[in-house]
Amino acid sequence: VAADAVVTLAGRQLPAAAPRYFMLNKPDGYVCATRDRHHSTVLDLLDEDNRDTLHIAGRLDIDTTGLVLLTDDGNWSHRVTAPRHDCDKTYWLQTAEPIPASAVSQFEGGLFLHSEKTRLRPAYLEILDTHTARLRISEGKYHQVKRMFGAIGNAVTRLHRERVGAIELDPGLGEGEYRALTVTEITSV
């Protein structure tokens, strides 16, 4: 089929095949997976054709909320998730215990996580009040934010991703809602 051809099915014009890019405001209780036998997945929240061809560019834990990016463009997804591309992720978080001021310099210096042989890249912590903070990281290790706070003797009780690179979660999206990314958002990666 020629790239400029108009294709119809049952009288309805079909969109041309092109990569798709979405942002989703992930609610608590959904897993970032294409299929799961025990839990609802973030793909279940999408009303899109061929949603099984989409994949998650940067997963969140089942109890973490906020910005999830979905695409069927593998190269773009790799630029979002690969640490060498320095695509920072920013989180708002709440902790069980007060956050010590010393955590700022500890995170900037790069922590060692339990069972890891290399130091984490520097992370930037902004303490908002005694139990809440904003954290920017450039990696995405398994349960990284929770493990970072565990390494300093604290526990994360709420975690919400606000931003990936220059893409900020649209404040107009309610939990479970999504929208297509703008051209500016797509090209920012």
Side-chain angles (χ1 to χ4, degrees), residues 79-91 120-124 135-141 144-145 148 165:
R79 287 192 304 272
V80 170
T81 58
R84 68 183 177 93
H85 291 291
D86 292 321
C87 188
D88 292 344
K89 285 82 175 165
T90 303
Y91 298 84
L120 291 175
R121 289 179 170 198
Y124 303 96
L135 178 66
R136 183 169 43 98
I137 61 174
S138 61
E139 296 170 289
K141 293 186 181 284
Q144 182 174 337
V145 174
M148 288 172 73

Side-chain angles (χ1 to χ4, degrees), residues 111-177:
L111 292 172
F112 278 102
L113 298 179
H114 179 68
S115 76
E116 297 280 337
K117 292 182 169 62
T118 58
R119 186 182 297 274
L120 291 175
R121 289 179 170 198
Y124 303 96
L125 181 69
E126 174 191 3
I127 299 173
L128 302 173
D129 67 34
T130 58
H131 290 76
T132 63
R134 186 162 282 115
L135 178 66
R136 183 169 43 98
I137 61 174
S138 61
E139 296 170 289
K141 293 186 181 284
Y142 180 73
H143 296 302
Q144 182 174 337
V145 174
K146 294 173 183 175
R147 291 171 64 205
M148 288 172 73
F149 277 87
I152 64 165
N154 207 336
V156 174
T157 58
R158 287 179 57 204
L159 187 59
H160 178 83
R161 185 160 58 197
E162 299 176 325
R163 177 185 293 265
V164 173
I167 303 171
E168 188 170 356
L169 180 60
D170 186 330
L173 290 178
E175 286 191 355
E177 294 181 340

Side-chain angles (χ1 to χ4, degrees), residues 13-168:
Q13 183 175 337
L14 300 177
R20 299 175 295 165
Y21 310 87
F22 300 103
M23 80 165 48
L24 167 75
N25 186 357
K26 179 193 168 299
D28 185 10
Y30 284 79
V31 294
C32 284
T34 52
R35 291 185 187 97
D36 190 281
R37 287 189 282 183
H38 306 290
H39 301 95
S40 296
T41 74
V42 293
L43 292 181
D44 294 331
L45 297 167
L46 304 179
D47 183 21
E48 297 294 324
D49 293 333
N50 302 315
R51 65 183 182 192
D52 59 322
T53 64
L54 294 167
H55 58 273
I56 299 109
R59 300 176 187 279
L60 293 177
D61 298 336
I62 192 169
D63 61 345
T64 301
T65 61
L67 179 60
V68 170
L69 299 175
L70 301 111
T71 185
D72 50 14
D73 180 342
N75 290 329
W76 188 85
S77 177
H78 180 72
R79 287 192 304 272
V80 170
T81 58
R84 68 183 177 93
H85 291 291
D86 292 321
C87 188
D88 292 344
K89 285 82 175 165
T90 303
Y91 298 84
W92 174 92
L93 60 96
Q94 185 174 48
T95 59
E97 303 297 326
I99 303 166
S102 61
V104 173
S105 61
Q106 287 178 289
F107 285 16
E108 280 183 14
L111 292 172
F112 278 102
L113 298 179
H114 179 68
S115 76
E116 297 280 337
K117 292 182 169 62
T118 58
R119 186 182 297 274
L120 291 175
R121 289 179 170 198
Y124 303 96
L125 181 69
E126 174 191 3
I127 299 173
L128 302 173
D129 67 34
T130 58
H131 290 76
T132 63
R134 186 162 282 115
L135 178 66
R136 183 169 43 98
I137 61 174
S138 61
E139 296 170 289
K141 293 186 181 284
Y142 180 73
H143 296 302
Q144 182 174 337
V145 174
K146 294 173 183 175
R147 291 171 64 205
M148 288 172 73
F149 277 87
I152 64 165
N154 207 336
V156 174
T157 58
R158 287 179 57 204
L159 187 59
H160 178 83
R161 185 160 58 197
E162 299 176 325
R163 177 185 293 265
V164 173
I167 303 171
E168 188 170 356

